[in-house]
Amino acid sequence: MTELFNLAAALLEPHLAAGHGGRPALRYEGDTLTYAEIADLVARTGAGLNKLGVDVEDRVALLLPDAPQFIAAFLGATRIGAVPVTLSTLLATDEYAYLLDDCRARALVVHASVLPKIEPLRPSLPHLKSVIVGGAAPPRGTLTFADLWDTPAARLPAVETTTDDMAFWQYSSGTTGRPKAIVHLHGNASQAAQLHGRLVAELTADDRVFSVPKLFFSFGLNNSCIFPFAHGASAILLPDRPDPRLVLDTIARERPTILYHVPTGYAGLLAAIEAGAPADLSSVRRCISAGEALPAPLFERWKARFGLEILDGIGSTELGYICISNRPGQARPGTSGQIIPGYEAVVLRADGTHAAVGEVGDLQVRGPSAAAFYWRKREATKHTFRGEWVFTGDRYSVDTDGYFTYHGRSDDMIRVSGLWVSPLDVEAVLLRHAKVRECAVVARLDDDGLVRPCAYVVSSDGPSDVLAAELLSFASRSLSAYKRPRWIEFLPELPRTSTGKIQRFKLRGR
């Protein structure tokens, strides 16, 4: 049932009403901001946006690093009923041209380091009326956060939005083409904090969370803002690019209790440690991953070194967060875990019937955190949002104990000699080789036009014909003939989206 609900108010006002305004909310560059201080910045930002003419449902694009200004702009916009649109700070000018035009942003809050990519676009963006710049003195025709915060706002009330009002948009990360704006509502936006946050992370007000994935993407926004604020915890923000040594230094200095990272990031931390970087994870009680499947060898190496499970899970921006996850003390390496109570999941055959136990099919999920639709993408909306169910595009099987195993994207699966090959199965084998840092397997045509697996490898030793032959031989000892990669191609790095996901379509196009 539709009822009055404002996300920004729900995340902050209960703490103030309970007398907890003095509790730490954010740690940033050695400083602590309390819940009362964050609430003041949010109210001032909302009032400043109002003064600029930003109204209910107007879009406010955010192009900021992880910092208190991001939190203030995000919650300040939602507090006044406007719609923040979180955008990656790592894109090119032509990508920003598409995104800012597509969302019709009325205001843009941008860091000075990104502004040079935006300035050439302003004449072609008729909806964009105000630009607020953080991080340096702004050029003519723009404002600063000081200008925005120059409005006393102690009594700024939250707009009476409902559970069915738009709260914020996030763009799909573009693994298969142009990003789509995913519309989240006030009512669904905080649901995952009460499900994964309570049942998997087991967050309390005493936790200090550190999310290496950034606020601009779904995993990071939940980890560093919605989850900790929903539970009265504090978040550690790192504005810089997450070099593994910097991440390890931040963990040792800030002493987080919960660490969020993507599987590639955990692999990078291990590589840095094995190369001699100091590491102190003694404060961490829980490690959580998502964004791509966590290979079993990586889970095992991490646990052997630190005694900590990495609780891997599967979710999507469309679903709002992780909906299937490994649970503390019950993690099974190589799986995405079990369905989180509050969600439902089914694995379906192409004809819509339920797949048998162990059979690979298409994963569909329903739950309270799911988004509403794609903005201006009617056909794509109908394909993905099927009534209460979200078609994830992921291929999964589920065993008798309810553990889900990922077999790649629907368009990533490789059919060889009439048999389906999961790229993840081949990658898991190659990743056990000591000289393979990363790899991705995609379909490629041989001289006869037949589909065969091709492995793109990032090696610690660099490319060589000898290593390629060694890897092919290594794979042959563990894989059936039809699963073995026919080619080993070396790359200095794998192509990825700004959120760290491998862009397999680029590899297929090589």
Side-chain angles (χ1 to χ4, degrees):
M1 183 177 70
T2 301
E3 58 187 37
L4 293 178
F5 183 84
N6 182 283
L7 176 64
L11 292 177
L12 294 174
E13 290 182 1
H15 307 305
L16 305 183
H20 298 156
R23 290 188 62 89
L26 293 179
R27 284 283 296 167
Y28 176 73
E29 295 190 332
D31 293 327
T32 298
L33 283 81
T34 66
Y35 274 93
E37 289 170 327
I38 292 297
D40 180 66
L41 290 181
V42 167
R44 287 178 178 275
T45 305
L49 290 171
N50 271 163
K51 189 168 68 173
L52 294 175
V54 176
D55 206 344
V56 173
E57 294 191 2
D58 283 341
R59 265 73 75 191
V60 179
L62 307 185
L63 258 173
L64 296 168
D66 283 17
Q69 289 87 347
F70 188 114
I71 302 290
F74 179 83
L75 294 179
T78 55
R79 186 173 181 84
I80 64 171
V83 181
V85 183
T86 66
L87 302 178
S88 168
T89 58
L90 306 175
L91 304 180
T93 295
D94 60 343
E95 292 173 295
Y96 290 129
Y98 166 75
L99 295 170
L100 293 170
D101 178 68
D102 183 66
C103 73
R104 297 173 182 161
R106 182 177 179 87
L108 168 66
V109 189
V110 57
H111 193 263
S113 61
V114 190
L115 188 62
K117 298 180 182 180
I118 303 300
E119 281 292 292
L121 304 176
R122 293 184 66 183
S124 62
L125 296 171
H127 300 284
L128 185 61
K129 304 301 181 186
S130 302
V131 177
I132 301 100
V133 180
R140 182 184 299 273
T142 64
L143 304 167
T144 67
F145 270 95
D147 297 322
L148 207 60
W149 291 340
D150 192 33
T151 305
R155 294 188 175 87
L156 177 73
V159 167
E160 290 189 338
T161 50
T162 73
T163 52
D164 287 349
D165 274 307
M166 293 189 296
F168 61 92
W169 296 4
Q170 292 187 303
Y171 277 85
S172 64
S173 53
T175 55
T176 57
R178 273 200 155 177
K180 300 178 286 293
I182 299 163
V183 177
H184 285 280
L185 309 179
H186 280 265
N188 76 276
S190 63
Q191 293 298 312
Q194 304 306 324
L195 297 174
H196 188 284
R198 180 169 51 86
L199 300 174
V200 179
E202 298 178 338
L203 274 164
T204 73
D206 294 324
D207 277 309
R208 299 179 304 280
V209 306
F210 178 32
S211 173
V212 185
K214 298 300 185 182
L215 278 160
F216 64 73
F217 105 95
S218 179
F219 194 35
L221 179 67
N222 280 283
N223 299 341
S224 292
C225 178
I226 296 174
F227 276 35
F229 286 11
H231 292 275
S234 61
I236 299 157
L237 300 183
L238 180 66
D240 308 287
R241 295 195 69 155
D243 171 83
R245 287 179 178 263
L246 178 60
V247 170
L248 291 170
D249 178 68
T250 302
I251 294 170
R253 185 180 64 254
E254 295 290 346
R255 311 290 292 163
T257 57
I258 297 179
L259 175 64
Y260 296 96
H261 213 339
V262 295
T264 301
Y266 283 107
L269 295 181
L270 277 175
I273 293 165
E274 290 164 357
D280 179 3
L281 272 73
S282 58
S283 66
V284 177
R285 67 174 180 84
R286 192 135 302 159
C287 300
I288 295 168
S289 75
E292 57 187 334
L294 179 76
L298 179 55
F299 174 98
E300 291 157 357
R301 288 169 57 210
W302 186 268
K303 188 174 182 183
R305 179 170 287 271
F306 297 112
L308 294 166
E309 300 172 313
I310 300 176
L311 302 181
D312 192 39
I314 174 67
S316 68
T317 309
E318 289 85 351
L319 285 162
Y321 198 69
I322 299 167
C323 54
I324 296 170
S325 181
N326 283 282
R327 303 280 288 276
Q330 304 171 42
R332 290 191 183 178
T335 78
S336 298
Q338 298 169 299
I339 192 74
I340 297 173
Y343 295 94
E344 296 177 65
V346 292
V347 177
L348 302 177
R349 301 186 181 103
D351 62 4
T353 59
H354 286 247
V357 171
E359 182 182 356
V360 177
D362 293 312
L363 180 70
Q364 292 194 36
V365 180
R366 65 179 175 186
S369 65
F373 56 89
Y374 296 125
W375 168 250
R376 296 203 304 176
K377 297 288 187 295
R378 174 64 174 157
E379 291 305 312
T381 294
K382 289 191 293 184
H383 175 74
T384 298
F385 297 94
R386 304 181 180 185
E388 294 182 332
W389 295 90
V390 175
F391 177 82
T392 66
D394 295 310
R395 299 282 288 174
Y396 264 87
S397 64
V398 59
D399 67 15
T400 54
D401 295 326
Y403 280 80
F404 288 75
T405 298
Y406 181 62
H407 296 274
R409 295 284 299 169
S410 298
D411 54 1
D412 289 338
M413 294 290 286
I414 305 169
R415 192 157 197 162
V416 178
S417 301
L419 301 172
W420 285 109
V421 175
S422 167
L424 277 297
D425 292 343
V426 185
E427 290 163 11
V429 170
L430 292 172
L431 284 167
R432 294 192 183 101
H433 193 283
K435 295 180 181 178
V436 175
R437 290 177 53 190
E438 294 182 285
C439 68
V441 174
V442 299
R444 178 168 159 180
L445 299 180
D446 65 13
D447 291 341
D448 295 321
L450 300 174
V451 173
R452 296 288 184 260
C454 175
Y456 288 89
V457 170
V458 179
S459 168
S460 58
D461 282 7
S464 76
D465 292 341
V466 173
L467 179 56
E470 183 181 328
L471 292 177
L472 290 173
S473 175
F474 181 79
S476 70
R477 294 197 289 271
S478 301
L479 295 169
S480 301
Y482 73 96
K483 290 186 177 182
R484 297 171 194 162
R486 179 67 61 90
W487 307 273
I488 301 290
E489 301 281 358
F490 294 98
L491 293 174
E493 61 182 10
L494 298 178
R496 295 182 180 275
T497 69
S498 60
T499 60
K501 295 180 182 179
I502 297 172
Q503 293 177 307
R504 295 176 188 270
F505 75 96
K506 289 190 175 179
L507 296 176
R508 287 193 293 268
R510 288 179 65 90

